[in-house]
Every structure is written in C-alpha cells, then in structure tokens.
Amino acid sequence: GMDKEGRIVLPAELMAHAGITDRGCFVGKGPLFQIWQPDALAAHKAEARHRARTKGLTLPIRPRRDGGA
C-alpha cells in the first residue's frame, strides 16, 4: 500500500523475508521490479560480476553513436 505522502509501504512479512529494515533498493527488471536490502544487493552484484569475469562473459564495447567518449 501507500501512505498519505505517497510512499510505498511494504507488509512486515515481506520486509522480514527480504531483510529490509529502514531502506530498500528498487531494481528494474524490464516491466517488473524487485526491492532489495541494500547490502544484499551489493553482495549479489559483486557475485554476478565475479561470475561474469570468471566465465569470460563480457559485452562488446561499441563506439557511441553521438561521437562522445
């Protein structure tokens, strides 16, 4: 739900499940989004980067279309 200032209020059960106390990070997933506990998100991102590096998964670097660096 939302409070009178328009902020999203998460149910206590969902907050407990995600380990969220006073802050959450919204992560876009196409038409959906997830809400993460900030430290858990940082750990997840670090692990994903590590997996990508160890498996040699990289994105090709292409020149910008606007000519910028």
Side-chain angles (χ1 to χ4, degrees):
M2 296 180 102
D3 67 8
K4 62 183 178 180
E5 284 86 28
R7 296 175 295 198
I8 295 174
V9 178
L10 298 176
E13 309 83 52
L14 290 178
M15 289 179 66
H17 174 75
I20 296 171
T21 54
D22 60 337
R23 296 182 329 143
C25 293
F26 284 75
V27 179
K29 296 285 191 176
L32 306 174
F33 67 89
Q34 296 176 339
I35 304 172
W36 285 72
Q37 191 279 341
D39 293 334
L41 178 59
H44 175 75
K45 286 174 142 180
E47 176 58 28
R49 286 185 190 108
H50 174 73
R51 280 193 316 269
R53 277 193 303 273
T54 59
K55 292 182 178 183
L57 304 174
T58 60
L59 295 174
I61 297 175
R62 293 189 283 184
R64 290 175 49 171
R65 292 183 182 173
D66 63 6

